[in-house]
Amino acid sequence: MIRELILKNRSYRRFHEEKRISTEQLKSWIDLARFSASGMNAQSLRYILITEKDMCSKVFPLVSWAGFLKDWGGPKEGERPSAYIVMMHDNTISNNYYCDDGIAAQSILLGAVESGYGGCIMASVKRESLREVLSIDEKYKIIQIIALGKPNEKIVLDDMKDDDFKYWRDENDTHHVPKRALSDIIIEEID
């Protein structure tokens, strides 16, 4: 079951924009992150949930969509996310959020996939513009944004060749993601 969810949990960048996501649905995924591990148990992550269509339109140009797809400027109208989660660190709680962001993002996205949705974690964000648009207090460090929606693209995993890790799209617009072999990432087995 967990393997199936992980294999379905891809970085989706095109969605059925008309399929809206409720704030309650987003809260249920944030709740999964809340119960996940936290460095020193500080639980310093904070979130802004965006489901309103006009605000989604304001956030859309503040993120970069796919660095390796040079000729693609991001999803077109009708394929854009239905929701965003802005993940932040509360600097008044601790100086470090350790790896909490990755753990929380994975929990959120696994919840999304289990519910029939998908998303993409984006750290390439125009942070100061986002801070202004959302009136985010300076005590919060913007870490990343998770774009969410009902996936509208096919993504396949390929065996990596010649150490080429760049994702790409074929002539049918299928998104290909190369993955290293298990034998390439295990350095040693000590039995």
Side-chain angles (χ1 to χ4, degrees):
M1 182 67 142
I2 190 70
R3 180 180 175 84
E4 182 180 318
L5 286 176
I6 289 171
L7 290 173
K8 281 181 167 178
N9 183 24
R10 309 288 18 118
S11 291
Y12 295 104
R13 294 177 178 88
R14 292 182 295 180
F15 305 94
H16 293 279
E17 190 172 348
E18 75 282 359
K19 306 260 189 209
R20 305 309 297 172
I21 301 175
S22 71
T23 300
E24 289 308 309
Q25 183 69 74
L26 293 183
K27 285 182 181 178
S28 74
W29 300 334
I30 296 293
D31 208 29
L32 296 173
R34 181 175 71 91
F35 287 120
S36 297
S38 170
M40 292 182 13
N41 199 36
Q43 303 170 57
S44 65
L45 297 181
R46 298 294 181 265
Y47 306 91
I48 295 176
L49 312 181
I50 304 165
T51 58
E52 199 272 320
K53 192 171 169 97
D54 287 341
M55 189 56 77
C56 284
S57 294
K58 290 178 182 176
V59 171
F60 175 78
L62 302 179
V63 295
S64 296
W65 283 93
F68 292 139
L69 303 179
K70 301 294 182 200
D71 296 333
W72 189 67
K76 62 186 180 194
E77 284 282 341
E79 294 182 335
R80 294 181 178 168
S82 309
Y84 293 93
I85 296 174
V86 180
M87 184 184 292
M88 302 167 297
H89 167 67
D90 185 338
N91 293 310
T92 66
I93 294 175
S94 68
N95 293 329
N96 194 328
Y97 53 90
Y98 303 98
C99 60
D100 290 10
D101 59 322
I103 295 168
Q106 180 80 333
S107 295
I108 290 165
L109 287 171
L110 288 174
V113 167
E114 183 183 49
S115 302
Y117 294 92
C120 185
I121 303 166
M122 294 179 290
S124 183
V125 178
K126 295 175 182 168
R127 285 172 175 75
E128 289 314 307
S129 297
L130 183 67
R131 184 177 303 282
E132 189 175 308
V133 165
L134 297 176
S135 301
I136 298 172
D137 190 294
E138 288 292 329
K139 74 178 186 178
Y140 299 115
K141 175 185 179 180
I142 299 168
I143 301 170
Q144 59 200 11
I145 294 179
I146 303 173
L148 294 151
K150 192 68 121 174
N152 186 19
E153 66 181 326
K154 182 177 178 183
I155 300 177
V156 297
L157 302 178
D158 296 326
D159 293 333
M160 186 180 295
K161 294 179 176 70
D162 302 320
D163 257 357
D164 186 0
F165 53 83
K166 294 178 182 172
Y167 50 82
W168 54 282
R169 293 214 174 124
D170 66 20
E171 64 279 353
N172 297 316
D173 224 14
T174 298
H175 192 86
H176 292 262
V177 181
K179 292 292 183 181
R180 296 183 193 280
L182 184 61
S183 59
D184 292 338
I185 62 172
I186 297 175
I187 296 170
E188 186 174 355
E189 296 177 44
I190 302 172
D191 291 332

Coordinates of all heavy atoms in Angstrom, one line a residue, residues 23-37 43 45 47 49 85 87 103-112:
T23 N -10.9 23.8 1.5 CA -10.1 24.1 2.6 C -10.0 23.0 3.6 O -9.0 22.6 4.1 CB -10.5 25.4 3.3 OG1 -10.4 26.5 2.3 CG2 -9.6 25.8 4.4
E24 N -11.2 22.3 3.8 CA -11.3 21.2 4.7 C -10.4 20.0 4.2 O -9.7 19.4 5.0 CB -12.7 20.7 4.9 CG -13.6 21.7 5.6 CD -13.0 22.0 7.0 OE1 -12.6 21.1 7.8 OE2 -12.9 23.3 7.3
Q25 N -10.3 19.8 2.9 CA -9.4 18.8 2.4 C -8.0 19.1 2.6 O -7.2 18.3 3.1 CB -9.7 18.6 0.9 CG -8.9 17.5 0.2 CD -9.3 16.1 0.7 OE1 -10.3 15.6 0.3 NE2 -8.5 15.5 1.5
L26 N -7.6 20.4 2.4 CA -6.2 20.8 2.7 C -5.9 20.6 4.2 O -4.8 20.1 4.5 CB -6.0 22.2 2.3 CG -6.1 22.6 0.8 CD1 -5.8 24.1 0.6 CD2 -5.1 21.7 0.0
K27 N -6.8 21.0 5.0 CA -6.6 20.8 6.5 C -6.4 19.3 6.8 O -5.6 19.1 7.7 CB -7.8 21.3 7.3 CG -7.9 22.8 7.3 CD -9.1 23.3 8.2 CE -9.3 24.7 8.2 NZ -10.5 25.1 9.0
S28 N -7.1 18.4 6.2 CA -6.9 17.0 6.5 C -5.5 16.6 6.1 O -4.9 15.7 6.8 CB -7.9 16.1 5.8 OG -7.7 16.0 4.4
W29 N -4.9 17.1 5.1 CA -3.5 16.8 4.7 C -2.5 17.5 5.6 O -1.5 16.9 5.9 CB -3.3 17.2 3.2 CG -4.2 16.5 2.3 CD1 -4.8 15.3 2.4 CD2 -4.6 16.9 1.0 NE1 -5.6 15.0 1.4 CE2 -5.5 16.0 0.4 CE3 -4.3 18.0 0.2 CZ2 -6.1 16.1 -0.8 CZ3 -4.9 18.2 -1.0 CH2 -5.8 17.2 -1.6
I30 N -2.8 18.7 6.0 CA -1.9 19.4 7.0 C -1.9 18.6 8.3 O -0.9 18.5 9.0 CB -2.4 20.8 7.2 CG1 -2.3 21.7 6.0 CG2 -1.6 21.5 8.4 CD1 -0.9 21.9 5.5
D31 N -3.1 18.0 8.6 CA -3.2 17.2 9.9 C -2.2 16.0 9.8 O -1.6 15.6 10.8 CB -4.6 16.7 10.1 CG -4.9 16.5 11.5 OD1 -4.3 17.2 12.4 OD2 -5.8 15.7 11.8
L32 N -2.0 15.4 8.6 CA -1.1 14.3 8.5 C 0.3 14.8 8.8 O 1.1 14.2 9.4 CB -1.1 13.8 7.0 CG -2.4 13.1 6.6 CD1 -2.4 12.7 5.2 CD2 -2.7 11.9 7.5
A33 N 0.6 16.0 8.3 CA 2.0 16.6 8.5 C 2.1 16.9 10.0 O 3.2 16.7 10.6 CB 2.1 17.9 7.7
R34 N 1.0 17.3 10.7 CA 1.1 17.7 12.1 C 1.5 16.4 12.9 O 2.2 16.5 13.9 CB -0.3 18.2 12.5 CG -0.4 18.6 14.0 CD -1.8 19.2 14.3 NE -2.9 18.2 14.2 CZ -3.3 17.5 15.3 NH1 -2.7 17.7 16.5 NH2 -4.3 16.7 15.2
F35 N 1.0 15.3 12.5 CA 1.3 14.0 13.3 C 2.7 13.4 12.8 O 3.1 12.4 13.4 CB 0.2 13.0 13.1 CG -1.0 13.4 13.8 CD1 -2.2 13.5 13.2 CD2 -1.0 13.5 15.2 CE1 -3.4 13.9 13.8 CE2 -2.2 13.8 15.9 CZ -3.4 14.0 15.2
S36 N 3.3 14.0 11.9 CA 4.6 13.4 11.4 C 5.8 13.9 12.3 O 5.6 14.8 13.1 CB 4.9 13.9 10.0 OG 3.9 13.5 9.1
A37 N 6.9 13.3 12.1 CA 8.1 13.6 12.9 C 8.5 15.0 12.8 O 8.3 15.6 11.7 CB 9.2 12.7 12.5
Q43 N 8.0 21.5 16.2 CA 6.8 21.7 15.4 C 6.7 23.2 15.0 O 5.7 23.9 15.3 CB 5.6 21.3 16.2 CG 5.7 19.8 16.6 CD 4.6 19.4 17.6 OE1 3.4 19.6 17.3 NE2 5.0 18.9 18.8
L45 N 6.7 24.5 11.9 CA 6.2 24.8 10.6 C 4.8 25.4 10.7 O 4.0 25.0 11.6 CB 6.1 23.5 9.7 CG 7.4 22.8 9.4 CD1 7.2 21.6 8.5 CD2 8.4 23.8 8.7
Y47 N 1.5 27.2 8.1 CA 1.0 27.0 6.7 C -0.1 28.1 6.4 O -0.8 28.5 7.3 CB 0.3 25.7 6.5 CG 1.2 24.5 6.9 CD1 1.2 24.0 8.2 CD2 2.0 23.9 6.0 CE1 2.0 22.9 8.6 CE2 2.8 22.9 6.3 CZ 2.8 22.4 7.6 OH 3.6 21.3 8.0
L49 N -3.2 28.3 3.6 CA -3.9 27.5 2.7 C -4.7 28.4 1.7 O -5.4 29.3 2.1 CB -4.9 26.6 3.4 CG -4.4 25.8 4.7 CD1 -5.5 25.0 5.3 CD2 -3.2 25.0 4.3
I85 N -0.4 25.4 -0.9 CA -0.1 25.4 0.5 C 1.3 26.1 0.6 O 2.3 25.6 0.0 CB 0.0 24.0 1.2 CG1 -1.4 23.3 1.2 CG2 0.5 24.1 2.6 CD1 -1.4 21.9 1.7
M87 N 4.3 26.8 2.9 CA 5.0 26.2 4.1 C 6.0 27.2 4.6 O 6.8 27.7 3.8 CB 5.6 24.9 3.8 CG 6.2 24.2 5.0 SD 7.1 22.7 4.6 CE 5.8 21.6 4.1
I103 N 9.7 16.1 5.5 CA 8.8 15.1 6.1 C 7.4 15.6 5.9 O 6.5 14.8 5.5 CB 9.2 14.9 7.6 CG1 10.6 14.3 7.7 CG2 8.1 14.0 8.3 CD1 11.1 14.3 9.1
A104 N 7.1 16.8 6.2 CA 5.7 17.4 6.2 C 5.2 17.4 4.7 O 4.1 17.0 4.5 CB 5.7 18.8 6.8
A105 N 6.1 17.8 3.8 CA 5.6 17.9 2.4 C 5.3 16.5 1.9 O 4.3 16.3 1.2 CB 6.7 18.5 1.5
Q106 N 6.1 15.5 2.2 CA 5.8 14.1 1.8 C 4.5 13.6 2.4 O 3.7 13.0 1.7 CB 7.0 13.2 2.2 CG 6.8 11.8 1.8 CD 7.1 11.5 0.3 OE1 7.0 12.3 -0.5 NE2 7.5 10.2 0.1
S107 N 4.3 13.9 3.7 CA 3.0 13.5 4.3 C 1.8 14.1 3.6 O 0.8 13.5 3.4 CB 3.0 13.9 5.8 OG 4.1 13.2 6.5
I108 N 1.9 15.4 3.3 CA 0.8 16.2 2.7 C 0.6 15.5 1.3 O -0.6 15.3 0.9 CB 1.2 17.7 2.5 CG1 1.1 18.3 3.9 CG2 0.3 18.4 1.6 CD1 1.8 19.7 4.0
L109 N 1.6 15.3 0.5 CA 1.5 14.8 -0.8 C 1.0 13.3 -0.8 O 0.2 13.0 -1.7 CB 2.8 15.0 -1.6 CG 3.1 16.4 -2.0 CD1 4.5 16.5 -2.6 CD2 2.0 16.9 -3.0
L110 N 1.4 12.5 0.1 CA 0.9 11.2 0.2 C -0.6 11.2 0.5 O -1.4 10.4 0.0 CB 1.7 10.3 1.2 CG 3.1 10.0 0.8 CD1 3.8 9.3 1.9 CD2 3.1 9.1 -0.5
G111 N -1.0 12.1 1.4 CA -2.4 12.3 1.7 C -3.2 12.7 0.4 O -4.3 12.2 0.1
A112 N -2.6 13.6 -0.3 CA -3.2 14.1 -1.6 C -3.4 13.0 -2.6 O -4.5 12.8 -3.1 CB -2.4 15.2 -2.2

